Amino acid sequence: MPKITGWERDYWQGMLPQVERLAHERNEPALAQLAKEVFAYWREERHLSESSIRNPLTNLRNQIKQLPLTEQNSYLTDSGQREHLALKYVRLTQQEWVQLNAPARQKLDERLGDSLPLKEVDVLVERGTRLLSSHNPAELAVGWRCVAVAVSLR
């Protein structure tokens, strides 16, 4: 669970009672508008980038999940689970999640694409071991690195 910041906690104190009231009244248009305002607050006033919205969104959804459920303030999901009505609107679409995670996935793909397979791990271990007997600090550091890489590959 992401760390909850002080500004998030302060924001919830004013917002969650409103969420409870609107859900109890089953005022879905107002809940949808409130969710839009929350996202706008994060982006415009808190200056959060798209990738930085992930943690506050998760935290807010977890706070809403802790609110007591009643027939009046909840609905049944497609999977038959009862869920707070506000969770219908305080969410990203699947496409938005994919876009949010695309840069991280792209970086990972680039990093993996640049890696080269080591075919001669035994040679790496032998050279690393030889460097570990050196008195030169730079060679010792390289020796430890060689051994660490070799051990992680086995």
Side-chain angles (χ1 to χ4, degrees):
M1 180 178 194
K3 182 182 176 196
I4 298 170
T5 63
W7 69 262
E8 287 177 282
R9 194 170 287 113
D10 294 343
Y11 188 70
W12 296 337
Q13 286 178 346
M15 193 196 78
L16 287 177
Q18 189 177 2
V19 166
E20 287 183 291
R21 181 181 54 79
L22 293 172
H24 180 73
E25 296 169 359
R26 297 199 68 80
N27 190 340
E28 292 191 49
L31 282 170
Q33 180 59 38
L34 182 61
K36 286 180 186 177
E37 291 170 8
V38 167
F39 282 103
Y41 170 75
W42 289 339
R43 290 178 178 119
E44 295 164 18
E45 293 186 40
R46 296 299 307 174
H47 305 287
L48 298 180
S49 66
E50 290 302 311
S51 62
S52 298
I53 288 175
R54 181 180 302 123
N55 287 351
L57 176 60
T58 300
N59 289 337
L60 178 57
R61 286 184 55 83
N62 286 337
Q63 288 297 308
I64 293 171
K65 287 175 184 178
Q66 292 178 15
L67 297 174
L69 291 180
T70 65
E71 291 287 326
Q72 190 67 22
N73 72 3
S74 64
Y75 75 105
L76 288 177
T77 64
D78 292 340
S79 62
Q81 301 255 336
R82 185 155 297 282
E83 186 173 81
H84 196 280
L85 197 55
L87 293 174
K88 208 188 247 192
Y89 304 101
V90 179
R91 69 169 13 124
L92 295 176
T93 65
Q94 186 167 354
Q95 182 181 0
E96 289 170 320
W97 274 112
V98 168
Q99 287 176 319
L100 185 73
N101 291 318
R105 181 66 196 169
Q106 183 179 359
K107 282 183 182 179
L108 176 63
D109 290 344
E110 288 171 7
R111 201 169 59 236
L112 293 176
D114 289 342
S115 64
L116 298 172
L118 289 175
K119 296 178 180 153
E120 298 179 8
V121 177
D122 291 336
V123 173
L124 185 64
V125 170
E126 186 272 319
R127 287 188 184 160
T129 305
R130 192 169 1 120
L131 289 170
L132 288 176
S133 63
S134 172
H135 296 293
N136 181 330
E139 289 181 355
L140 282 170
V142 172
W144 281 114
R145 177 68 53 97
C146 288
V147 173
V149 167
V151 167
S152 71
L153 293 173
R154 290 190 173 192

